[in-house]
Structure formats: structure tokens, C-alpha cells
Amino acid sequence: FGVFEGLGYPLPVFLTRSTGEILAPLLQLFGAPSRPTLAPVTEIDAASALSEERLVELTSALIASQFGTTDASLLADSFTFTGPLVGPLSKEVFLGAFTGISKLLSSLEGLDYQYRDVRPCPFDVNRVWYTSSPTAVYPPTGKKWISPPECGSAQFDSEGKCIALTGGYVMDRRMGNTEGLGGVYGLSVAVGLPLPTPLWQLYTPAQNFARFQRWIGLKSEPLGRLES
């Protein structure tokens, strides 16, 4: 899909855009917030590049601080967070939102993020990629959260402050029990909590039609996997 988009031959929107994105103008008439415009990736001059060892050190400190929520000084004033379904969020909005999420995470039993593959990017200056596959049990429902592998990244300025964070991008939607979703959306699906956004808005119309076919028995695959 990305190849066709890049070459100027976009595929039909019902295959490539979420239902919520397509219906955004209509949903906004009923009080839904407008969708923020994605900011371009920050380009840092090669002269400001930090060593790989320093980048790994900064990323480890960022993760240990719960991405700056316990030490906001690690985040630059221009910091933004972007996920597949939310963002970009400013520093203030991100810290407020993540503080609420942290309360939910602290209620989980046996939480293990399984961070791995921390790797400085060879293309984007001062950017570090990492993988995680969180698992935990939510005591009120007794359900387990088994996330598929997720990819995230952090980018730093020349002073070592985090200027951009990404997260929640699922690498293999066949895995886990989150219906192919990452981050807090995947957690909510797995343990039976209300989603910040209705599930049908997150899928493309084609995916929603496939889910309907499964629900009425026209498809035999397990209900819940995202369709390609």
C-alpha cells in the first residue's frame, strides 16, 4: 500500500484508511475532536550526532523514568509523542495522559515489558529504535494482556533531551491477544476495559466487513484478527 501511495497511485480509502479517519468530518459534527496534523520527523544536523553508547544510555534512562513521567527534565520543551492512533501530543499533554495510564499499569500483576533490540538508527540522527512485548494480568478481570511485538523509538537533541517519542506500532498482528492493536488500546482489548475510541473506528471499512463476516459465520478464522 505504501509503495502505491508513494508513487502517486493511492488505493481506495476503504482499504487504506480507518473508518474513524474517513468519517472524521461527520463525527466532528457530533462532538468528536479534530484529528491533529502529523508533524514531520525532526531532522538533526550530523554535527549534533551523539555516540551510539550515549544514545543507548539515554534511551535506557528514558525507559526507566517511564518515558519522562517520573523525571520530566529528560524531555525537551519541544517534545512530541506520536503513535499509530494518537498524536502528536505535546510534552504537557503527554505527561498528563501517561500519568493516568501509569495508574492503570501499576494495578497490573507480573508486568513485564520485555524490552529488547535497542538499536541506534543508521539513517535518522540521534534516533534509537527498540522492541517490546508487554505481558501482565489485570486482577479485577483476571484476564492476561499478551501484546504482540511493538516497535518504538526515541530521538534526542545534541544535549541529550528527548525531542520525539513513538510507540505502540505492532510488528506482527498475528501474535498476542489484542486484536492486532498496540499500546493502551491493545491492553484495553486484552483485559476487557473500555477503549478510548470505539473499535470499529480503528479498523478500515474492509476490515470491519471481514469482522462482520466472521461474526455471522461466513468466515471461519478466529474473530478479532485484523485483515490485511
Side-chain angles (χ1 to χ4, degrees), residues 15-188:
L15 292 175
T16 61
R17 298 292 184 268
S18 70
T19 304
E21 185 176 356
I22 295 172
L23 297 180
L26 177 61
L27 295 174
Q28 289 169 21
L29 295 178
F30 293 91
S34 59
R35 299 176 64 90
T37 302
L38 287 178
V41 176
T42 302
E43 294 188 8
I44 300 176
D45 189 272
S48 300
L50 302 174
S51 68
E52 292 192 357
E53 293 78 9
R54 178 60 174 155
L55 289 171
V56 171
E57 178 183 287
L58 290 170
T59 303
S60 298
L62 187 66
I63 292 174
S65 71
Q66 297 185 45
F67 300 103
T69 55
T70 63
D71 185 1
S73 67
L74 298 177
L75 309 181
D77 291 338
S78 59
F79 168 90
T80 60
F81 169 81
T82 306
L85 302 172
V86 298
L89 305 180
S90 67
K91 178 179 179 178
E92 180 181 1
V93 173
F94 170 77
L95 291 175
F98 204 91
T99 298
I101 296 172
S102 295
K103 294 179 180 178
L104 170 61
L105 295 176
S106 65
S107 70
L108 301 176
E109 292 183 351
L111 177 58
D112 183 1
Y113 289 101
Q114 302 185 82
Y115 285 114
R116 58 194 184 277
D117 301 336
V118 178
R119 53 207 183 274
C121 181
F123 303 104
D124 299 334
V125 177
N126 289 353
R127 192 174 194 180
V128 180
W129 298 94
Y130 54 86
T131 304
S132 65
S133 300
T135 60
V137 174
Y138 184 57
T141 62
K143 294 183 177 180
K144 189 169 185 179
W145 173 32
I146 307 174
S147 175
E150 299 181 15
C151 186
S153 73
Q155 191 174 26
F156 303 90
D157 62 19
S158 59
E159 298 179 354
K161 301 280 189 179
C162 182
I163 59 175
L165 182 70
T166 67
Y169 290 89
V170 169
M171 302 170 72
D172 188 343
R173 58 184 172 78
R174 300 171 301 171
M175 301 174 67
N177 65 345
T178 67
E179 299 194 17
L181 299 174
V184 69
Y185 287 86
L187 168 60
S188 299

